[in-house]
Amino acid sequence: MSETRDIPLDELARLAHAVLRHNGFDAEHTRAIADTVLAAEHDACHSHGIYRLIGIVQACRDGLANGCAAPDVIDHAAAVVKVDAQGGFSPLAFERGLPMLIGKARRGGIAAMAISRCFHLTALWPEVERLAAEQLVGLAMTPSHAWVAPFGGKRGLFGTNPLAFAWPRPDQEPYVFDFATSAIARGDIELDAREDRALQPGWALDCAGAPTTDARAALEGAMLPFGGHKGSALATLIELVAGPLIGDLTSEQSQHFDAGHGAAPFHGELILALDPAAFAPDTTDRDAAAERLFDGIVEQGARLPSQRRRAARRQTLANGFVRVNAALVDELNRLID
Ligand code: NDP
């Protein structure tokens, strides 16, 4: 077992802010990025928690990303808001475009936000949860780098291409799922490699295209999609609609742009917002049908997605600290030396 350290929440927040500010991020990007990675850390989503700060800082140190970029929000069409992140990170670009997306969804029943030219390294659930908090149904998706082989293939072509969905529920937390279309998130494989943990069979191929459970061999080889040909097709959909459809890069193009730096993926993101009131004005019937569905899941002993995450959040807030890998904390502290 690797050494861990219990870090009080205010200390962890200070560390995240210090890492970003010390590395040239402006106050707005610092707040938006820190809020997102700290929320993931509180929810025990460690692969998208403070660990992400290393890649985020590296992308700026390599001269690829701009920690002071001012996102440009463009009223593109009745149902489309475009946000040019101008080479900055996605959390601030999302925040800046959100009010216009919400307004368009409320007026037209459905609207899309296309974020372009952004570095995206964070979890998607904080974004769709923001839509659900506005009583909107939310969907978000983004490519990454060409790390995932298509089903039946051997070479990385797709990104880990996460897809997140939120459904608002009356008087309780929304139904939310958020998953990579790869068998496992790349951040988890990176953490496994750092801690010498074996992968599960079916997650990855080595450089020669042979199945491997070695995390380092997987990072050099290719990851596999979840669900065989179905995950592969879903990954293709995300490449298309969050890439060429919005005039931005595919995961393979993002990898070329990176030119071997191994930095954060640079591409676009598509976020859809649907106003339930525009589709089925009878809220009682709609909500009752949805709740029957959720009850039907839970009654069988299954759980809803996000249940673990929210339980972890409650535990974190009760503890007042998070348990973090000690070597990671040391590495972050070195970024502010
Ligand atoms: P997981 O497989 O850990 O979880 C996927 C979803 O399924 C979660 O909503 C999870 O809820 C839910 N879930 C897990 N187990 C069960 C179960 N037994 N029953 C019901 N629901 C369950 O996610 P991934 O590893 O695929 O992805 C992790 C994160 O990585 C995501 O937040 C994603 O956005 C992010 N990511 C970001 C990328 C980027 O480019 N920015 C690229 C790829 C991934 P719960 O959390 O409660 O367990």
Side-chain angles (χ1 to χ4, degrees):
M1 271 302 271
S2 51
E3 194 195 330
T4 58
R5 219 171 281 163
D6 293 342
I7 312 267
L9 300 184
D10 54 349
E11 198 182 307
L12 193 75
R14 274 198 299 278
L15 176 63
H17 280 250
V19 164
L20 294 164
R21 290 299 268 162
H22 185 82
N23 285 279
F25 287 72
D26 69 18
E28 284 296 275
H29 275 288
T30 296
R31 182 195 45 72
I33 295 169
D35 283 357
T36 312
V37 297
L38 289 167
E41 201 64 52
H42 294 178
D43 286 14
C45 299
H46 300 298
S47 65
H48 288 74
I50 55 167
Y51 169 62
R52 289 282 134 188
L53 294 173
I54 296 171
I56 288 172
V57 165
Q58 195 57 47
C60 281
R61 288 187 169 184
D62 287 340
L64 295 170
N66 179 359
C68 302
D72 187 14
V73 180
I74 303 147
D75 189 346
H76 184 73
V80 181
V81 47
K82 285 194 169 190
V83 184
D84 182 346
Q86 313 249 28
F89 292 85
S90 57
L92 188 61
F94 175 83
E95 265 184 29
R96 291 282 166 85
L98 186 62
M100 195 183 283
L101 175 68
I102 293 169
K104 284 180 184 294
R106 292 227 169 96
R107 280 191 296 279
I110 181 166
M113 172 154 68
I115 300 177
S116 61
R117 302 204 301 144
C118 79
F119 285 84
H120 204 302
L121 266 160
T122 39
L124 295 183
W125 57 261
E127 299 177 348
V128 291
E129 282 193 352
R130 295 280 290 273
L131 291 169
E134 299 291 333
Q135 302 308 310
L136 297 170
V137 173
L139 262 169
M141 62 208 83
T142 178
S144 62
H145 272 341
W147 289 314
V148 181
F151 178 68
K154 296 188 168 183
R155 180 179 63 77
L157 178 67
F158 305 139
T160 45
N161 298 10
L163 174 70
F165 171 78
W167 173 276
R169 301 173 71 185
D171 306 321
Q172 56 185 317
E173 290 171 308
Y175 172 91
V176 174
F177 70 70
D178 176 17
F179 56 76
T181 49
S182 49
I184 180 84
R186 190 167 183 87
D188 282 314
I189 297 188
E190 289 169 359
L191 291 177
D192 287 338
R194 289 164 73 97
E195 300 186 18
D196 282 325
R197 282 191 300 256
L199 306 181
Q200 284 183 28
W203 284 1
L205 305 173
D206 64 18
C207 278
T212 184
T213 55
D214 182 301
R216 286 189 186 81
L219 292 175
E220 285 164 20
M223 301 164 66
L224 288 169
F226 86 100
H229 62 284
K230 300 180 187 182
S232 202
L234 203 46
T236 309
L237 176 152
I238 294 168
E239 290 289 330
L240 293 171
V241 301
L245 180 82
I246 62 167
D248 215 302
L249 304 185
T250 62
S251 297
E252 195 173 43
Q253 290 170 323
S254 168
Q255 191 105 46
H256 285 150
F257 172 85
D258 183 63
H261 284 92
F266 178 63
H267 47 67
E269 178 182 3
L270 181 68
I271 299 118
L272 302 177
L274 291 82
D275 185 356
F279 291 85
D282 187 340
T283 54
T284 315
D285 277 1
R286 182 186 64 233
D287 291 341
E291 292 309 311
R292 265 198 306 280
L293 184 69
F294 300 138
D295 288 347
I297 295 170
V298 176
E299 276 165 13
Q300 299 184 33
R303 76 157 166 97
L304 297 181
S306 295
Q307 207 171 304
R308 173 210 62 83
R309 192 165 59 70
R310 291 180 182 134
R313 183 186 309 175
R314 284 191 289 276
Q315 189 62 55
T316 299
L317 296 178
N319 292 343
F321 66 81
V322 286
R323 184 155 295 167
V324 190
N325 178 289
L328 172 59
V329 177
D330 292 342
E331 200 169 335
L332 290 174
N333 274 310
R334 282 197 294 278
L335 291 176
I336 48 179
D337 272 349

